[in-house]
């Protein structure tokens, strides 16, 4: 039972870490570019969907994914890479859900959702593999 709870915790911590890092960086960058807070999604995503910002988003999403995969594998201990793969699957399902939900999909170009699926899953697996070596 303890190993099941540890496995669940490992994947949840990785998922939460990725989300917190990505959302915090994104909000801080939008705040910096806008020069203040905005609650208007049109303004927020108007800034966030600029080409340079989307390119940067791929970078920080990938970095957060590597970190999330690494931490998941470390927490899991045994079979760390398998836990990283599970995290990659869970994160991919979350992206696919967002892509399939019109209210969520409307704010991000479809090509970006597809790119995020690829770089995030790859980053998680790289991070989990790095944990195995360390």
């Amino acid at each position: 039972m303890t190993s099941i709870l540890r496995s669940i915790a490992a994947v949840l911590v990785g998922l939460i870490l990725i989300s917190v890092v990505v959302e915090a960086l994104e909000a801080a960058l939008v705040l910096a570019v806008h020069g203040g807070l905005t609650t208007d999604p049109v303004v927020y995503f108007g800034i966030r969907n600029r080409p340079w910002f989307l390119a940067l988003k791929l970078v920080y999403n990938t970095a957060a994914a590597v970190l999330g995969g690494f931490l998941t594998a470390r927490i899991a201990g045994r079979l760390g890479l398998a836990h990283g793969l599970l995290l990659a699957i869970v994160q991919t399902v979350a992206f696919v859900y967002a892509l399939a939900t019109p209210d969520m999909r409307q704010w991000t170009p479809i090509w970006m959702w597809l790119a995020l699926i690829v770089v995030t899953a790859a980053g998680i697996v790289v991070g989990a593999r790095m944990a195995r070596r360390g």
Side-chain angles (χ1 to χ4, degrees):
M1 183 61 133
T2 304
S3 65
I4 292 172
L5 292 176
R6 185 174 179 161
S7 292
I8 292 169
V11 173
L12 284 176
V13 167
L15 189 63
I16 291 167
L17 177 69
I18 292 168
S19 296
V20 168
V21 168
V22 167
E23 296 304 322
L25 281 172
E26 183 172 294
L29 288 168
V30 169
L31 176 73
V33 171
H34 184 63
L37 290 174
T38 180
T39 57
D40 183 352
V42 173
V43 172
Y44 183 92
F45 289 105
I47 294 168
R48 205 287 313 270
N49 287 337
R50 294 176 182 173
W52 68 267
F53 204 120
L54 291 176
L56 187 57
K57 181 169 180 56
L58 290 174
V59 172
Y60 64 74
N61 269 78
T62 303
V66 170
L67 186 59
F70 183 88
L71 188 58
T72 293
R74 285 294 187 165
I75 292 170
R78 199 168 74 77
L79 299 174
L81 182 57
H83 287 79
L85 290 170
L86 181 58
L87 173 60
I89 291 167
V90 169
Q91 182 64 68
T92 298
V93 168
F95 280 144
V96 169
Y97 172 78
L99 187 56
T101 306
D103 287 346
M104 296 173 80
R105 182 183 63 233
Q106 72 177 332
W107 299 110
T108 302
I110 291 175
W111 67 265
M112 187 64 177
W113 285 112
L114 299 174
L116 287 171
I117 288 169
V118 171
V119 301
T120 303
I124 290 168
V125 171
V126 166
R129 288 183 61 93
M130 288 169 58
R132 194 172 74 178
R133 292 185 193 148

